[in-house]
């Protein structure tokens, strides 16, 4: 028996602060007869009894007008509005922020790019049809006369029960290819499967992917999806050829292997999602599609450069120089793609070696600052790798021999 009303779950799963806000909104909605709803991820997660991360409220009508009324009548503040979309962000007590959106219709005049809003304040039934999956299109009424009533125009409840991800229309992935990655995210996070038709439409898109698309959305979804740190995500990405969204070819890498090496170096890794993405990339041009931040770009470029060059030396100093200054993410991508054991030798052993002498020490020993400093440090490092130097005193003795030679 499917639930008809979500009041009980709202009571049970939302924090006391969030509940207070929802009931306040409900009360205010009655004053000027706004109809307000929860729609999207929050409804899905309430029905699945999962952690509620954020709450979005949809207003049938003008969300900005509703929020102005809310601001007049309750203890909250509008902190941002977008007039063309008729959306508002409101800050409540305890710093809780909630996004309010007007019901809207959207079109995709340029396939794969951000949609254009063609109407705000439309019927809820039209609003839900612009969305990605049926399980994200269920609404819950919040007005006092119908509080908690579930409104399911697309069969989302049935799909939720059957653990199925179903898009709402044939052009959904063409309109917004980031939905393919969202499908991967939800299938992994929730343990759901794509329905047959949806799978077919995904395959069709991936046979001939349009790359003139909004890379901002693709990047954001890849970041969220790979941040799940799940071996399954990578395996499915390769099996289902989802990598074709951004690359014609990929490397054959096992998700578990990536997961294991990430676990080993977990405390040092800041961008684990980039490791999952990096092992899939086979050429540098692909990197240019994304609007990467400078450090993200550096990580991926360094990794692909290292793969291109390879590290075939047996000499500790040369191996050290190959990896020196590279991020842990780049080195792990290089290792996973090339299986070159020098990366492990560097991470486990060689990077612990270092020169204790400083530039100031060299000045006090009478060396003029310049390029020769680098050469001196390198000579010391070589001696350390050879086992001839073990501490700073021995470094100083060695430097003196250089000076006298
Ligand atoms: N949505 C969509 N197409 C997208 C992104 C979002 O239709 N490409 C819709 C879905 O209805 C989604 C809602 O907008 O539920 C909110 O989007 P978002 O916050 O990104 O997703 P959530 O479903 O809340 O997922 P998550 O739990 O990962 O935040």
């Amino acid at each position: 028996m499917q639930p008809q009303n979500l009041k009980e779950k709202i009571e049970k799963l939302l924090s006391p602060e969030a509940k207070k806000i929802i009931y306040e909104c409900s009360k205010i909605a009655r004053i000027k007869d706004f109809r307000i709803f929860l729609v999207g991820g929050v409804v899905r997660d309430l029905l699945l009894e999962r952690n509620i991360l954020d709450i979005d409220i949809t207003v049938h009508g003008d969300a900005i007008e509703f929020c102005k009324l809310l601001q007049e009548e309750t203890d909250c503040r509008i902190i941002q509005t977008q007039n063309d979309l008729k959306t508002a962000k409101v800050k409540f007590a305890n710093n809780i922020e909630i996004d309010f959106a007007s019901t809207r219709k959207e079109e995709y005049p340029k396939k794969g790019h951000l949609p254009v809003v063609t109407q705000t304040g439309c019927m809820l039934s039209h609003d839900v049809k612009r969305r990605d999956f049926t399980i994200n299109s269920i609404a819950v009424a919040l007005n006092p006369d119908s509080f908690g009533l579930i409104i399911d125009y697309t069969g989302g409840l049935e799909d939720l029960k059957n653990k199925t991800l179903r898009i709402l229309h044939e052009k959904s992935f063409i309109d917004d290819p980031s939905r393919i990655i969202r499908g991967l995210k939800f299938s992994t996070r929730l343990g759901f499967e794509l329905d047959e038709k949806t799978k077919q439409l995904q395959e069709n898109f991936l046979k001939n992917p349009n790359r003139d698309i909004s890379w901002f959305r693709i990047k954001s979804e890849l970041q969220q999806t790979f941040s799940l740190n799940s071996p399954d995500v990578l395996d499915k990405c390769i099996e289902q050829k989802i990598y074709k969204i951004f690359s014609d070819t990929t490397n054959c890498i096992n998700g578990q292997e990536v997961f294991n090496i990430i676990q080993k170096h977990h405390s040092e890794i800041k961008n684990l999602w980039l490791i999952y993405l990096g092992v899939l990339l086979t050429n540098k041009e692909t990197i240019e599609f994304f609007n990467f931040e400078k450090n993200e770009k550096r990580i991926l470029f360094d990794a692909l450069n290292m793969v291109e060059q390879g590290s075939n030396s047996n000499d500790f100093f040369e191996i050290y120089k190959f990896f020196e200054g590279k991020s842990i993410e780049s080195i792990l991508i290089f290792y996973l793609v090339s299986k070159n054991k020098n990366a492990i030798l560097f991470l486990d052993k060689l990077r612990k070696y270092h020169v204790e002498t400083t530039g100031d020490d060299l000045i006090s020993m009478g060396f003029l600052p310049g390029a020769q400093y680098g050469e001196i440090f390198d000579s010391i490092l070589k001696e350390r790798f050879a086992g001839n130097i073990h501490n700073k005193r021995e470094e100083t003795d060695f430097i003196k021999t250089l000076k006298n030679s």
Side-chain angles (χ1 to χ4, degrees):
M1 182 61 186
Q2 287 168 357
Q4 296 301 310
N5 195 295
L6 221 58
K7 186 165 192 271
E8 236 175 72
K9 288 201 200 293
I10 289 174
E11 286 290 339
K12 183 170 137 193
L13 297 167
L14 292 190
S15 68
E17 296 82 12
K19 264 186 292 197
K20 186 166 173 268
I21 294 167
I22 297 263
Y23 280 113
E24 266 175 9
C25 291
S26 177
K27 223 167 70 192
I28 300 301
R30 194 165 49 179
I31 302 179
K32 286 212 172 156
D33 208 19
F34 284 100
R35 309 299 301 175
I36 62 167
F37 307 90
L38 296 176
V39 193
V42 60
V43 178
R44 176 197 69 220
D45 290 340
L46 278 169
L47 283 159
L48 293 171
E49 304 210 353
R50 291 175 62 88
N51 240 353
I52 308 299
L53 300 173
D54 62 352
I55 298 172
D56 299 324
I57 293 181
T58 299
V59 179
H60 178 199
D62 185 334
I64 298 178
E65 289 305 313
F66 175 74
C67 292
K68 282 183 185 160
L69 190 62
L70 201 61
Q71 189 171 244
E72 277 166 27
E73 302 287 331
T74 70
D75 181 21
C76 70
R77 196 162 48 88
I78 298 175
I79 52 172
Q80 202 180 307
T81 56
Q82 210 178 329
N83 211 30
D84 50 344
L85 294 181
K86 297 266 180 260
T87 58
K89 193 186 265 302
V90 179
K91 195 170 201 158
F92 294 87
N94 293 322
N95 285 332
I96 298 183
E97 290 179 8
I98 296 194
D99 288 316
F100 290 80
S102 306
T103 46
R104 64 177 188 253
K105 281 189 189 173
E106 289 176 345
E107 274 176 17
Y108 289 82
K110 215 168 162 211
K111 299 296 173 202
H113 287 264
L114 295 180
V116 170
V117 174
T118 54
Q119 191 189 341
T120 56
C122 64
M123 307 282 287
L124 178 70
S125 58
H126 289 134
D127 178 281
V128 295
K129 283 182 188 140
R130 72 178 167 85
R131 293 172 185 268
D132 53 357
F133 297 99
T134 60
I135 61 160
N136 290 336
S137 307
I138 309 169
V140 172
L142 293 179
N143 288 66
D145 57 357
S146 51
F147 192 91
L149 180 77
I150 296 173
I151 305 159
D152 180 16
Y153 290 111
T154 63
L157 283 177
E158 187 66 16
D159 284 338
L160 212 52
K161 193 178 85 187
N162 297 325
K163 297 178 172 279
T164 301
L165 291 164
R166 186 193 312 273
I167 47 173
L168 303 185
H169 58 90
E170 298 234 332
K171 298 257 175 353
S172 187
F173 291 143
I174 298 170
D175 282 346
D176 178 0
S178 75
R179 289 175 172 165
I180 292 180
I181 303 163
R182 287 174 67 79
L184 177 63
K185 174 175 79 178
F186 295 126
S187 71
T188 307
R189 200 203 278 165
L190 307 174
F192 282 26
E193 296 282 339
L194 299 184
D195 94 296
E196 277 310 313
K197 184 81 200 278
T198 301
K199 204 184 285 171
Q200 192 56 55
L201 290 167
Q202 175 175 303
E203 273 172 33
N204 291 351
F205 179 86
L206 294 172
K207 267 182 212 150
N208 189 15
N210 169 19
R211 299 223 174 97
D212 177 13
I213 55 179
S214 161
W215 289 97
F216 170 80
R217 276 190 163 180
I218 299 287
K219 183 192 162 194
S220 159
E221 292 299 341
L222 283 174
Q223 181 164 8
Q224 292 175 50
T225 310
F226 285 135
S227 293
L228 295 173
N229 192 15
S230 155
D232 277 1
V233 166
L234 191 72
D235 294 340
K236 283 186 196 160
C237 199
I238 295 171
E239 270 160 38
Q240 297 178 23
K241 297 192 167 53
I242 294 174
Y243 65 83
K244 292 240 174 192
I245 291 176
F246 49 85
S247 174
D248 290 338
T249 56
T250 197
N251 301 299
C252 196
I253 311 276
N254 175 271
Q256 191 61 44
E257 202 184 330
V258 180
F259 177 82
N260 291 346
I261 200 127
I262 285 177
Q263 288 311 95
K264 184 172 169 202
H265 296 278
H266 206 267
S267 59
E268 319 173 49
I269 296 171
K270 290 195 201 84
N271 292 289
L272 73 84
W273 72 279
L274 278 181
I275 300 178
Y276 283 100
L277 176 60
V279 299
L280 292 171
L281 300 182
T282 50
N283 74 69
K284 290 183 208 152
E285 285 71 53
T286 311
I287 300 173
E288 299 297 346
F289 292 149
F290 296 90
N291 203 2
F292 281 123
E293 284 168 22
K294 215 168 148 199
N295 70 315
E296 297 170 337
K297 217 168 173 175
R298 179 83 276 135
I299 287 171
L300 296 173
F301 264 114
D302 279 351
L304 289 188
N305 276 333
M306 285 195 282
V307 172
E308 230 169 69
Q309 287 161 24
S311 164
N312 301 318
S313 177
N314 294 321
D315 179 82
F316 282 3
F317 177 74
E318 281 179 20
I319 298 171
Y320 184 95
K321 283 286 163 189
F322 183 80
F323 293 107
E324 187 187 25
K326 303 294 188 297
S327 66
I328 183 80
E329 289 89 345
S330 303
I331 297 172
L332 293 182
I333 295 168
F334 166 74
Y335 171 69
L336 288 159
V337 171
S338 68
K339 303 291 180 312
N340 187 313
K341 293 272 190 323
N342 281 350
I344 302 300
L345 178 65
F346 175 78
L347 291 176
D348 288 353
K349 182 172 170 181
L350 303 186
R351 66 174 168 160
K352 296 186 184 120
Y353 284 77
H354 66 278
V355 173
E356 289 179 62
T357 304
T358 64
D360 284 346
D361 294 328
L362 292 183
I363 290 175
S364 63
M365 290 173 80
F367 287 92
L368 291 176
Q372 60 166 340
Y373 276 28
E375 288 166 23
I376 295 172
F377 292 139
D378 281 352
S379 307
I380 298 170
L381 201 55
K382 281 182 189 162
E383 292 301 315
R384 282 208 175 240
F385 284 136
N388 300 331
I389 290 179
H390 308 90
N391 52 44
K392 190 166 179 180
R393 190 181 47 75
E394 288 174 6
E395 284 185 9
T396 308
D397 293 343
F398 174 70
I399 295 164
K400 282 180 191 154
T401 65
L402 289 180
K403 208 172 176 203
N404 297 332
S405 64

